[in-house]
Amino acid sequence: MEIMVLWTRQVPEVWEELQTFGIYHVKEEYIRKKNGEISDYYLKLYRWYTKEAGKYTKIPAGCDYPIWLSVSEEVMLRPVENTVILKVEVPRDKVVVCNMEAWGYVVNYWYVPLDEEDARKHAEELKRNGITEEDELISTSRGNFYPMLRQKIKNSWGRVFTMPPANSSDTAATMWEIRREWVQSCERY
């Protein structure tokens, strides 16, 4: 069985839950605590991400939100006060690797281009249609006037999972549970 070594920054409650129950699944309350008034926005994105990631791995029942991990210690989220850094060794089949640059496009409701030429053609299409704020095609009713363009944008989002990242800093891993036996170390800050 192939194993991946990954790092994740979490709130201390995650480590406590792992020690108490032996397993951790993301709780909506933690997302709300972290993201405040924009939580609903992220919850919707994470539910989309989980649904799509289900095409690439088996996601445990009841797990709606991914756990984000770094694929190398060099690019992991740096520790901040009142967090823990967990180093985990996980079976590869539990992990979905994604392109973080592409994820940034999805978060902004933009088209994920295949390459520079595709990006140029898409920009020309937007310009031809008088669209200056691409995200409005997804986030407002303006997309109702351009349904094919809206669908083109949404269809491109799956590239988060299929486009190879350019480098390790554009690579992230996600999974939907952490088991206590996978944790190799826990650093408190």
Side-chain angles (χ1 to χ4, degrees):
M1 170 185 349
E2 185 182 354
I3 300 291
M4 290 187 77
V5 178
L6 305 165
W7 291 260
T8 184
R9 184 178 71 194
Q10 298 291 332
V11 293
E13 292 87 350
V14 171
W15 178 237
E16 293 164 15
E17 189 168 324
L18 279 165
Q19 290 186 311
T20 303
F21 302 107
I23 194 166
Y24 168 70
H25 296 146
V26 176
K27 291 184 170 28
E28 184 175 318
E29 67 189 78
Y30 294 162
I31 296 171
R32 290 193 178 282
K33 181 179 177 183
K34 177 182 176 189
N35 293 295
E37 55 190 52
I38 61 168
S39 294
D40 288 338
Y41 172 75
Y42 278 102
L43 291 166
K44 181 178 176 183
L45 285 168
Y46 292 160
R47 282 190 291 271
W48 171 86
Y49 185 95
T50 296
K51 179 180 176 226
E52 291 299 308
K55 297 174 182 175
Y56 303 94
T57 192
K58 186 174 186 330
I59 297 174
C63 294
D64 296 323
Y65 311 113
I67 300 165
W68 294 88
L69 305 103
S70 300
V71 297
S72 76
E73 194 168 9
E74 293 76 35
V75 299
M76 73 177 192
L77 291 176
R78 296 294 116 196
V80 294
E81 188 177 342
N82 200 29
T83 62
V84 296
I85 301 291
L86 302 176
K87 178 182 176 184
V88 296
E89 290 186 6
V90 183
R92 175 64 180 92
D93 67 341
K94 304 287 185 192
V95 177
V96 172
V97 175
C98 70
N99 183 315
M100 284 305 286
E101 182 178 6
W103 175 244
Y105 282 73
V106 174
V107 168
N108 286 293
Y109 294 153
W110 297 340
Y111 176 74
V112 179
L114 290 167
D115 53 31
E116 289 182 23
E117 178 64 15
D118 189 36
R120 184 188 62 73
K121 288 179 180 177
H122 180 69
E124 287 174 1
E125 185 176 12
L126 292 175
K127 187 175 181 179
R128 270 194 315 276
N129 286 290
I131 298 166
T132 57
E133 302 295 331
E134 180 175 2
D135 64 303
E136 290 182 350
L137 294 171
I138 306 299
S139 63
T140 72
S141 61
R142 186 161 189 208
N144 295 337
F145 298 102
Y146 304 93
M148 291 176 64
L149 192 50
R150 178 196 299 212
Q151 195 58 49
K152 175 188 171 190
I153 292 168
K154 286 184 171 186
N155 289 345
S156 78
W157 293 351
R159 295 175 184 157
V160 164
F161 305 104
T162 60
M163 284 180 68
N167 53 57
S168 63
S169 65
D170 283 341
T171 306
T174 50
M175 55 191 204
W176 284 261
E177 66 182 13
I178 298 176
R179 295 183 176 272
R180 174 63 184 98
E181 62 266 22
W182 297 342
V183 179
Q184 300 302 303
S185 66
C186 174
E187 300 288 330
R188 291 181 176 273
Y189 297 94

